[in-house]
Amino acid sequence: MEKETFLTAIDVGTTKVCTIVARLAPGKDPEIVASGIVPSQGLKKATVVDIEGAANAVRASVELAEGEAGMKVPWAYVGVTGSHIEAMNQWTAIEVSNHGSVITPRDMAVAHVSSVSSEPSDNRQLLHAIPRLYSLDGLKGIRNPVGMHAQNLQVETHVIQGAASLMANLVRSVEKAGVKVKGMVLEPLASGEAVLTPEEREMGVVMVDIGGGTSDIAVFKEGAIFHTAVIPVGGHQFSNDISMAFDTPFLAAEEAKVKYGHALPETVDMREELDLPVLNGITQIKVSRRELCQIVKERAHELLELVRIKLEQAEIKDISGTKLVLTGGTANLPGLEELARQTLSGHVRVGVPSGVKGLPEKLVNPAYATSVGMLLWCSSREAVHDNHVNGKGGPLALYSQFIRWLTSIMRAK
Ligand SMILES: Nc1ncnc2c1ncn2[C@@H]1O[C@H](COP(=O)(O)OP(=O)(O)OP(=O)(O)O)[C@@H](O)[C@H]1O
Ligand SMILES: [Mg+2]
């Protein structure tokens, strides 16, 4: 009998660090056995700016999870995001080994390795190379060409790269906390895993994870990832605007935003007021809640416009008719879903992680989409480079990643 194993995922966010430990047993769904959540330190817009601070937060989060699990966490997968992330889809033509005969798994492996064999440029590191679709003799849209007849095979790959130095700082922070980094996962891909349905991916969906420091976009089409992008604006900017407007400390602004914020000020009673400390912290001022919500709305509106621009830049047409799923902590902001409906798409919902065995109530919140999604991504697909922590992820790593992916789709057939 195969032994059960454990998998740990750490979401090192701008506002919180969340460690999740899950039990994996052959033939069974992963089961969450422990989690540890602490406020983050040392990150700005999802990028490590203070390794010592980040390491302290990771250590505290891991220790909480270890205490709950009753075991040490030797290694973990880590989420990565930030405006240094770049993604593109590229088509690569491959001659099949035996003209006119059926496509073999080997042909597909060669296609995949060739499609991403060029080394990333200086200071760039390959994060993921995900096969999307295939084309056989010019016929596009094939999902699994194994066993089909063709002379020419083309593969479309979604290639994601990031800044090697920034990713190395993240790895160093986690390893300084005593945990070896086994691999990295792009955060919006992980979030999509936790909050999107297979039907949404099939029909086409835009997911936006609005965290504290960034808003991460993942677009799925025809069941596969089509576009990923990161906007360096998140909930922190909302709080910062309140702090500046009312001359109140950031923490007081953050608290007021979470307690009284609404993205539709017109729905808030004009007479409602709240107390805010002014910068010296000694005096309190009375502030109109509607006025505070107006500031929140302006920032939310601007962010949704940035999402629109990013989508238009990626030539994603008909945004108003495309399903939009909002997640991340800022998706908790009342009225945001409706504002997005009025400005971006007629089909909006808030995505909350669900359907995972052992999911504790505290993780049933959009803020944990990435954390829960990382666990699902790593346990089911394992589409993570084993060696990209130490190198740039060469063809060998891509080959083994591809074989794991191929095995998973063959099993699913
Ligand atoms: N009810 C609420 N109303 C408004 N904002 C909220 C609410 N609850 C949480 N937030 C905001 O969500 C943000 C944190 O979200 P999340 O936990 O997803 O961020 P993160 O993962 O740490 O950051 P990032 O992914 O950007 O690195 C904070 O800015 C917080 O103020
Ligand atoms: Mg996040």
Side-chain angles (χ1 to χ4, degrees):
M1 202 179 81
E2 279 187 74
K3 255 184 32 196
E4 64 180 21
T5 52
F6 291 87
L7 188 151
T8 302
I10 309 177
D11 173 9
V12 189
T14 311
T15 53
K16 52 93 183 42
V17 178
C18 176
T19 301
I20 300 185
V21 181
R23 181 187 292 118
L24 305 180
K28 291 193 180 156
D29 290 333
E31 180 181 5
I32 295 176
V33 294
S35 56
I37 304 160
V38 300
S40 188
Q41 283 177 58
L43 271 88
K44 213 170 180 185
K45 294 184 186 290
T47 299
V48 174
V49 291
D50 165 13
I51 291 179
E52 197 63 50
N56 287 341
V58 170
R59 194 177 298 114
S61 164
V62 168
E63 279 174 4
L64 275 181
E66 286 178 336
E68 205 174 297
M71 57 177 269
K72 283 295 280 178
V73 166
W75 54 263
Y77 289 102
V78 178
V80 60
T81 189
S83 49
H84 60 100
I85 297 293
E86 283 171 356
M88 70 191 123
N89 292 329
Q90 57 184 49
W91 279 99
T92 311
I94 312 290
E95 283 267 311
V96 294
S97 50
N98 209 344
H99 274 211
S101 69
V102 294
I103 306 281
T104 63
R106 190 184 168 279
D107 290 322
M108 285 171 69
V110 169
H112 183 61
V113 172
S114 312
S115 71
V116 282
S117 57
S118 57
E119 286 279 292
S121 54
D122 271 359
N123 195 31
R124 304 299 293 168
Q125 184 176 321
L126 187 63
L127 190 57
H128 297 284
I130 305 166
R132 267 182 49 72
L133 294 172
Y134 296 87
S135 156
L136 295 187
D137 295 340
L139 179 67
K140 287 188 176 177
I142 311 285
R143 290 180 189 199
N144 178 12
V146 171
M148 292 182 170
H149 286 264
Q151 300 214 344
N152 289 300
L153 170 64
Q154 288 188 40
V155 56
E156 186 186 33
T157 312
H158 189 68
V159 180
I160 301 168
Q161 298 182 0
S165 53
L166 300 183
M167 294 203 271
N169 288 342
L170 176 64
V171 171
R172 225 174 309 144
S173 307
V174 176
E175 300 206 330
K176 228 172 184 295
V179 178
K180 191 162 169 26
V181 175
K182 197 168 179 194
M184 286 185 276
V185 185
L186 183 71
E187 293 184 10
L189 286 178
S191 303
E193 206 70 12
V195 301
L196 300 178
T197 66
E199 292 75 25
E200 285 171 334
R201 290 159 198 265
E202 199 57 50
M203 301 290 292
V205 65
V206 173
M207 186 219 67
V208 188
D209 180 325
I210 312 175
T214 64
S215 295
D216 300 349
I217 302 175
V219 182
F220 293 81
K221 271 186 185 180
E222 297 158 304
I225 184 70
F226 175 76
H227 179 66
T228 40
V230 179
I231 298 171
V233 175
H236 271 221
Q237 275 69 41
F238 289 62
S239 309
N240 202 45
D241 290 350
I242 296 170
S243 165
M244 304 283 276
F246 299 113
D247 214 13
T248 192
F250 179 85
L251 284 180
E254 168 76 17
E255 213 179 292
K257 175 193 74 176
V258 172
K259 212 164 166 190
Y260 302 105
H262 202 296
L264 299 173
E266 57 278 15
T267 63
V268 170
D269 189 333
M270 275 180 80
R271 291 159 301 182
E272 217 179 312
E273 287 186 322
L274 57 121
D275 291 322
L276 276 182
V278 285
L279 268 184
N280 61 23
I282 301 163
T283 39
Q284 299 255 331
I285 51 161
K286 287 243 177 271
V287 168
S288 149
R289 182 179 170 206
R290 191 181 265 209
E291 212 176 301
L292 180 138
C293 294
Q294 187 59 37
I295 292 163
V296 167
K297 179 182 181 172
E298 277 160 25
R299 177 57 80 170
H301 197 270
E302 191 181 305
L303 176 55
L304 293 170
E305 281 308 313
L306 288 174
V307 170
R308 180 200 302 286
I309 291 168
K310 278 278 180 197
L311 295 175
E312 283 172 355
Q313 281 170 352
E315 299 197 6
I316 291 156
K317 313 241 162 59
D318 187 29
I319 299 162
S320 61
T322 305
K323 180 85 174 270
L324 174 68
V325 176
L326 300 176
T327 193
T330 301
N332 285 307
L333 176 69
L336 186 65
E337 186 180 345
E338 181 53 33
L339 186 67
R341 200 170 285 126
Q342 290 171 11
T343 55
L344 266 188
S345 158
H347 315 274
V348 189
R349 71 173 181 89
V350 170
V352 181
S354 66
V356 184
K357 222 169 140 190
L359 186 70
E361 200 52 41
K362 65 182 173 186
L363 298 184
V364 184
N365 183 304
Y368 300 105
T370 302
S371 325
V372 175
M374 264 168 54
L375 186 75
L376 295 173
W377 175 277
C378 298
S379 60
S380 70
R381 300 184 194 191
E382 290 204 27
V384 179
H385 297 268
D386 285 340
N387 75 344
H388 71 205
V389 170
N390 301 317
K392 283 188 168 184
L396 207 65
L398 292 171
Y399 184 79
S400 55
Q401 176 191 352
F402 172 79
I403 293 302
R404 284 197 292 263
W405 169 82
L406 186 63
T407 311
S408 72
I409 60 167
M410 300 294 259
R411 264 199 227 115
K413 275 191 106 186

